[in-house]
């Protein structure tokens, strides 16, 4: 079992719709969770981080964390073609002595 | 510097040659990470440095791979006797610290460089 799992996609949504990206992790002691966006040929850039159960909103983006289910998601409201990219979920363990572990990413396509 | 700087941006080498990739982290960042990303794949952890602590080398795929970092400055990733399967983008990232939980300011999040694309012929 991979430590951080994501559906590779592509996830295709029409412009203006809500895109829902999901991620599960195996280390129950994980404390911090990150979503990175990576455009083709570019390096990852941070969108959001979350470390408390519940929702965290930032503009059109909402991160949701459920530690009991070991599940973290990213919702993108009013999706735009410019949101088309690969979204990487990353997890940091409780002791902080391990580097961030990344999932393989979900490719999102927003159709105009 | 303002961001994480990596060089070279592109490197084409012949199988069996050694290569050196360089990373200059953001000033003040004590933690430095190397990841590898093969075409169409996710990020594979290689090694990370935290201040003067012993580096975590658990992700290095073979003894052909090594990395050094002097203090809290530049790091060099060396790949000896390169193989075709080493072809990938090598990403470097830095952060203030890996040990502290990320605070509200997000001070401990990773910032990535643009990467070094390695092609082994």
């Amino acid at each position: 079992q991979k430590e951080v799992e994501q559906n590779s996609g592509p996830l295709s949504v029409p412009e203006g719709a809500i895109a829902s990206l999901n991620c599960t992790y195996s280390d129950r002691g994980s404390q911090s969770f990150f979503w990175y966006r990576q455009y083709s040929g570019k390096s990852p850039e941070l969108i959001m981080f979350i470390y408390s159960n519940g929702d965290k909103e930032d503009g059109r983006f909402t991160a949701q964390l459920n530690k009991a289910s070991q599940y973290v998601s990213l919702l993108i409201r009013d999706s735009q073609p410019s949101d088309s990219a690969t979204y990487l979920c990353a997890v940091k363990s409780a002791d902080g002595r391990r580097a961030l572990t990344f999932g393989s990413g979900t490719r999102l396509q927003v159709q105009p | 510097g303002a961001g994480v700087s990596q060089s070279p941006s592109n490197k084409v080498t012949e199988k069996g040659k050694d290569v050196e990739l360089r990373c200059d982290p953001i000033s003040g960042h004590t933690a430095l990470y190397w990841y590898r990303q093969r075409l169409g794949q996710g990020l594979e952890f290689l090694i990370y440095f935290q201040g003067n602590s012993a580096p975590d080398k658990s992700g290095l795929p073979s003894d052909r791979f090594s990395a050094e970092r002097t203090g809290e400055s530049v790091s060099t990733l060396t790949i000896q006797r390169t193989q075709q399967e080493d072809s990938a983008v090598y990403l470097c990232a830095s952060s203030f610290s890996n040990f502290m939980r990320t605070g509200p300011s997000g001070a401990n999040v990773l910032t990535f460089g643009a990467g070094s694309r390695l092609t082994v012929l």
Side-chain angles (χ1 to χ4, degrees), chain A residues 2 13 23 27 40 57 59 66 83 86 91 96 100 102-103 105:
Chain A
K2 290 183 181 178
V13 301
C23 172
D27 181 359
S40 181
E57 187 174 318
N66 184 327
D83 295 326
T86 296
V91 175
L100 220 53
F102 283 82

Side-chain angles (χ1 to χ4, degrees), chain B residues 11-17 82-84 87 118-121:
Chain B
K11 176 72 177 179
V12 180
T13 191
E14 293 180 347
K15 178 181 173 181
K17 301 283 189 183
T82 52
Q83 304 294 312
Q84 288 183 333
S87 295
L118 174 65
T119 303
V120 182
L121 301 176

Side-chain angles (χ1 to χ4, degrees), chain A residues 76-92:
Chain A
I76 306 175
R77 289 181 299 281
D78 188 24
S79 296
Q80 302 296 309
S82 58
D83 295 326
S84 297
T86 296
Y87 289 80
L88 300 165
C89 172
V91 175
K92 192 167 86 169

Side-chain angles (χ1 to χ4, degrees), chain B residues 8-78:
Chain B
S9 55
N10 271 289
K11 176 72 177 179
V12 180
T13 191
E14 293 180 347
K15 178 181 173 181
K17 301 283 189 183
D18 297 353
V19 297
E20 253 185 24
L21 308 176
R22 175 188 167 105
C23 173
D24 197 350
I26 292 173
S27 179
H29 280 191
T30 60
L32 185 148
Y33 313 75
W34 284 98
Y35 288 86
R36 176 170 71 179
Q37 187 172 34
R38 292 193 167 108
L39 187 64
Q41 304 296 312
L43 273 66
E44 178 186 359
F45 166 69
L46 297 177
I47 186 171
Y48 98 84
F49 300 87
Q50 171 64 58
N52 294 318
S53 301
D56 178 354
K57 303 180 181 180
S58 61
L60 294 178
S62 76
D63 59 7
R64 296 187 296 105
F65 288 73
S66 62
E68 292 183 348
R69 186 185 187 194
T70 306
E72 296 180 357
S73 62
V74 171
S75 174
T76 303
L77 177 68
T78 302

